[in-house]
Amino acid sequence: MPDLAAPTAQTPLASDLLPYDEAARLKGCIPQTLRNAAQRGDVREYRIGRSCFVVRDDAFRAFEVQQTGGRLHRAYQDGLEG
């Protein structure tokens, strides 16, 4: 019988899970940007109950935020003006 407590290729270690707000801070974006990326499959999401986390793996490290159309965020606008 397999050891259910051992992580598998699909079950990340707890140390590799980042809350969306912390992952967004590391990438310099807002959490919604990472949620959208998870929906597209650009980064992996892992759920524990009702909580969602970003998996810190190669896909997360390779993900780069792209400024596209729409409204610019205040922090980005301040960077352009200053």
Side-chain angles (χ1 to χ4, degrees):
M1 185 160 193
D3 182 8
L4 298 178
T8 64
Q10 295 174 358
T11 305
L13 297 172
S15 61
D16 291 333
L17 299 178
L18 296 170
Y20 270 97
D21 57 343
E22 183 178 341
R25 184 180 52 77
L26 290 173
K27 288 294 182 181
C29 63
I30 61 173
Q32 187 62 46
T33 301
L34 289 174
R35 286 187 190 95
N36 294 342
Q39 286 180 340
R40 288 190 309 267
D42 295 340
V43 296
R44 286 181 48 208
E45 177 183 78
Y46 190 76
R47 291 178 163 262
I48 300 176
R50 294 178 62 188
S51 300
C52 297
F53 300 90
V54 176
V55 179
R56 186 182 355 204
D57 59 3
D58 292 337
F60 176 74
R61 289 181 196 92
F63 176 73
E64 293 194 21
V65 178
Q66 299 176 3
Q67 297 294 333
T68 59
R71 289 181 242 164
L72 295 175
H73 298 289
R74 184 70 184 167
Y76 181 70
Q77 289 175 342
D78 290 344
L80 288 178
E81 294 169 4

